[in-house]
Amino acid sequence: MSRTILVFAESRSGSLRRVALEALGAARRLAGKDGEVHAVLACFGGAAEEVAALAARGADVVHIADDPSLRAYAPEAYIAAIGAAVATVRPDAVLLGHTSMGRELAPRVAAALGAGHIADVTAIEDSGDDGGDVGFIRPLYAGKAFERRSFVPGRPWVVTVRPNNLPAAEPLDAAAGHTAAVKELPFTVPPLYTAVRGLVRRTSGQLDLAEADVVVSGGRGVRSAAGFEPLHALASVLGGAVGASRGACDAGYCDYAQQIGQTGKVVTPQLYIACGISGAIQHLAGMSQSRVIVAINKDPDAPIFGVADYGIVGDLFEVVPLLTAELQRARA
Ligand code: FAD
């Protein structure tokens, strides 16, 4: 089965977001050997690095919408750019990351296309033979259940993929001689109803939580903002990011931008280390799909141990520095 797939290549500060490469990987598999993978980039002032990354990882055509209206995120302009790509490519499916941007854009793209929409996909089951039934797996009820959803034939698909779940498109062998066509994408800028006047970064320079392979999270058990320092040290040794429970955010120990859970961010790192977090259902909603969960809690009955792969019953202020020192020693 060959398909034509369009990927929205979300980028930030001149670099592709990792989920864009994960969507590209899914697109390559769904397109099949004889299908086509197109990517659409929204930018202002060029996007050479992103184009090179997409081309190297198997995009057949990269469509570049380059316009001042796309300098900062404006949904109306982004929708117009994606709409122009859809009109040009006429894809069987449009894939986006399940990010703040993707969550806003995807339903609008689906509505404009009269297409079905499946959101927050964590796995794709493609029999690869007749192409009839592609199953899109998505978690429900804060990860307590999964559903397998398919599209009915005859209409395009719009899918968002959850960051950190699907394998990213690998760079192709240069010797194989793959080249991507790069095309300017003209589009009509619609009236913009809102404008970004400024951007204030709240989490200085730390890895994007949703894309981090390792997340070290602290809860109310960390007791203060200063109490997060050992967690930062551990995250730094592991090349990870620091998250928090809402309990810790409400107590003012850290910024709400770091909150993980039902009303915060959803993360699926390779390794999630929960320190002084009880494991309320609303917190689990944001991290229970992590590959490996380590919980450090001094209460042996804390619910977090119910989802943990490894549990350490102990005082986080003793355990975390020990872990950090041991990892540093192992890495030296
Ligand atoms: P606590 O429940 O107070 O747990 C602290 C833990 O630290 C305890 O288990 C304790 O044993 C342990 N501890 C204390 N000292 C130490 C030590 N020295 N060493 C080791 N362990 C120690 N919560 C979220 O996290 N994310 C959300 O998105 C979210 N959304 C919500 C939405 C709604 C509508 C509602 C009602 C609640 C939401 N909550 C959310 C709040 C959630 O219900 C819990 O209140 C919150 O997760 C508790 O945070 P906590 O685990 O840090 O604190």
Side-chain angles (χ1 to χ4, degrees):
M1 178 77 186
S2 62
R3 301 185 183 93
T4 302
I5 313 284
L6 175 67
V7 173
F8 171 59
E10 184 175 338
S11 72
R12 185 186 286 170
S13 312
S15 294
L16 282 179
R17 299 201 63 180
R18 193 164 84 180
V19 71
L21 297 177
E22 291 161 2
L24 187 68
R28 274 176 48 188
R29 287 189 298 282
L30 286 171
K33 204 161 68 61
D34 300 320
E36 279 184 18
V37 175
H38 295 245
V40 53
L41 262 166
C43 64
F44 175 52
E49 192 186 307
E50 294 99 310
V51 171
L54 291 163
R57 287 171 166 76
D60 297 305
V61 187
V62 182
H63 303 265
I64 306 178
D66 191 336
D67 188 85
S69 63
L70 302 168
R71 181 205 306 264
Y73 176 58
E76 300 84 9
Y78 274 61
I79 285 292
I82 298 172
V86 166
T88 308
V89 176
R90 306 185 71 80
D92 298 302
V94 184
L95 303 189
L96 307 89
H98 195 73
T99 58
S100 307
M101 212 188 267
R103 284 201 297 257
E104 182 170 27
L105 294 174
R108 294 186 184 204
V109 173
L113 270 173
H117 174 31
I118 299 181
D120 200 14
V121 165
T122 54
I124 300 175
E125 292 174 352
D126 185 3
S127 60
D129 42 25
D130 63 356
D133 184 34
V134 178
F136 294 88
I137 312 299
R138 56 192 297 267
L140 298 174
Y141 311 122
K144 287 203 173 323
F146 290 86
E147 73 173 4
R148 183 184 192 278
R149 205 171 253 265
S150 306
F151 288 97
V152 294
R155 283 181 182 277
W157 312 340
V158 176
V159 175
T160 58
V161 299
R162 185 185 281 199
N164 253 353
N165 279 265
L166 304 176
E170 293 291 336
L172 299 180
D173 183 359
H178 172 83
T179 51
V182 180
K183 296 187 175 171
E184 265 178 46
L185 181 68
F187 73 104
T188 307
V189 180
L192 305 183
Y193 300 125
T194 59
V196 177
R197 297 290 185 216
L199 200 61
V200 181
R201 284 202 186 280
R202 302 292 292 275
T203 45
S204 53
Q206 103 151 348
L207 272 175
D208 188 321
L209 268 174
E211 296 188 350
D213 279 334
V214 177
V215 174
V216 179
S217 254
R220 215 164 0 218
V222 176
R223 290 208 297 261
S224 67
F228 267 82
E229 275 162 27
L231 278 62
H232 279 282
L234 178 56
S236 158
V237 179
L238 292 166
V242 174
S245 71
R246 178 155 150 188
C249 298
D250 284 345
Y253 306 160
C254 38
D255 197 277
Y256 281 105
Q258 289 167 269
Q259 184 186 318
I260 288 167
Q262 184 183 317
T263 44
K265 297 203 162 86
V266 175
V267 298
T268 32
Q270 298 297 319
L271 174 63
Y272 187 89
I273 306 181
C275 310
I277 295 177
S278 59
I281 182 78
Q282 296 90 352
H283 186 77
L284 302 187
M287 45 64 72
S288 62
Q289 301 307 308
S290 306
R291 295 276 187 280
V292 174
I293 298 172
V294 175
I296 304 167
N297 198 303
K298 63 183 186 185
D299 173 6
D301 297 322
I304 191 78
F305 288 125
V307 296
D309 299 284
Y310 300 94
I312 302 174
V313 178
D315 185 333
L316 72 94
F317 294 106
E318 290 169 18
V319 175
V320 172
L322 277 174
L323 259 181
T324 308
E326 200 53 46
L327 284 163
Q328 269 163 342
R329 222 183 340 267
R331 303 227 152 164

